[in-house]
Amino acid sequence: MHILIVEDDTATATYLRQGLEEAGHVVDLAHDGMAGLNLALDAHFDVLIVDRMLPGRDGLSLIRMLRAGGVKTPVMVLSALGQVDQRVEGLRAGGDDYLVKPFAFAELLARIEALGRRGIGQEGQATVLRVQDLELDLERRRVTRAGRLIRLQPRELRLLEYLMRRAGKVVTRTMLLEQVWDLSFDPQTNVVDSQISRLRAKIDRDFDRPLLHTLRGVGYRLGDEI
């Protein structure tokens, strides 16, 4: 599944991301309410994990905005506020589940997977991405091109998913660092170029028509050449 975590506590966000990625999921992070809202409105996610107390926009306000905008993605509210009336408030705001901190990761994972199963089949909840003859099955974490299986590492899968969701659009190096590597600064390394090169070798090698293009000085784009 593709999961968005909206959590301002760095240690908690890192812990969640590591555990969910080890369980085979793709995870994006937002560290404030406005960033979380923009991401949730702009991209497809199978499940959202939203803290209540966030800078910029609080978690319940974020959820209400999503529901008002027609976003039906299942939401897990994660909060240290655990009184009955507080849990009820979270569910009435549009949350689908409510988990109180501190929590057992095994329980969170089970609840998240249950929410993901509930979301499958909802309108707009596509589980297969396609760009020309390239296909990514999100549930099976399986990539094929022209029916040929392509084996990718977890980071390569994450990078490919990000590019496929923005097929035809230019994606900058900064965007990739923030969304795929969760870096809010440029470490002045060639990590993006190297990963793009490895991904290109796997999805374009032995095929007549390249899909992954570099626009020098601008960024990258997945799709046919312009």
Side-chain angles (χ1 to χ4, degrees):
M1 293 189 296
H2 190 192
I3 300 170
L4 173 63
I5 299 171
V6 189
E7 169 64 68
D8 64 320
D9 183 77
T10 303
T12 301
T14 301
Y15 169 69
L16 287 172
R17 182 178 199 168
Q18 180 177 343
L20 290 169
E21 289 184 337
E22 288 176 353
H25 303 296
V26 176
V27 182
D28 282 355
L29 289 181
H31 296 292
D32 64 75
M34 285 306 301
L37 177 63
N38 291 334
L39 271 175
L41 289 171
D42 182 57
H44 161 81
F45 294 96
D46 298 293
V47 175
L48 310 180
I49 302 175
V50 180
D51 186 22
R52 280 193 62 159
M53 295 180 289
L54 295 166
R57 177 180 293 277
D58 70 88
L60 299 193
S61 172
L62 182 159
I63 296 168
R64 292 189 187 100
M65 290 288 291
L66 291 176
R67 298 308 187 220
V71 176
K72 300 178 182 179
T73 308
V75 177
M76 160 78 74
V77 181
L78 196 61
S79 178
L81 304 177
Q83 298 297 320
V84 172
D85 58 336
Q86 294 167 330
R87 299 199 303 271
V88 169
E89 183 183 18
L91 296 172
R92 285 180 172 168
D96 297 275
D97 199 355
Y98 195 111
L99 187 60
V100 178
K101 299 176 181 177
F103 54 87
F105 181 78
E107 180 183 4
L108 178 137
L109 181 61
R111 290 189 182 204
I112 287 299
E113 290 174 345
L115 289 177
R117 290 192 297 272
R118 185 187 308 175
I120 293 173
Q122 290 183 348
E123 184 178 357
Q125 299 294 309
T127 59
V128 178
L129 302 177
R130 296 183 182 87
V131 177
Q132 303 300 332
D133 57 353
L134 180 65
E135 182 176 293
L136 168 56
D137 186 324
L138 295 168
E139 290 296 313
R140 300 168 65 189
R141 312 308 298 163
R142 186 174 185 269
V143 178
T144 58
R145 182 165 182 191
R148 185 187 307 176
L149 181 64
I150 299 173
R151 300 189 183 280
L152 299 182
Q153 297 299 314
R155 183 73 68 178
E156 294 167 342
L157 275 169
R158 180 178 172 82
L159 175 59
L160 180 61
E161 180 181 356
Y162 188 84
L163 292 167
M164 291 185 77
R165 291 191 184 282
R166 293 155 183 80
K169 299 179 181 179
V170 175
V171 175
T172 68
R173 189 173 185 275
T174 299
M175 292 167 66
L176 292 175
L177 285 169
E178 290 179 350
Q179 301 303 322
V180 179
W181 279 268
D182 192 36
L183 294 175
S184 57
F185 64 96
D186 188 342
Q188 298 298 316
T189 72
N190 65 346
V191 61
V192 173
D193 298 331
S194 297
Q195 198 73 269
I196 286 285
S197 179
R198 286 194 290 270
L199 181 61
R200 179 184 287 117
K202 293 184 177 182
I203 67 172
D204 281 343
R205 183 174 52 200
D206 301 327
F207 293 96
D208 294 333
R209 180 176 57 186
L211 291 178
L212 183 50
H213 308 281
T214 299
L215 287 72
R216 296 195 179 281
V218 180
Y220 311 94
R221 184 176 56 80
L222 188 71
D224 283 333
E225 285 189 285
I226 298 176

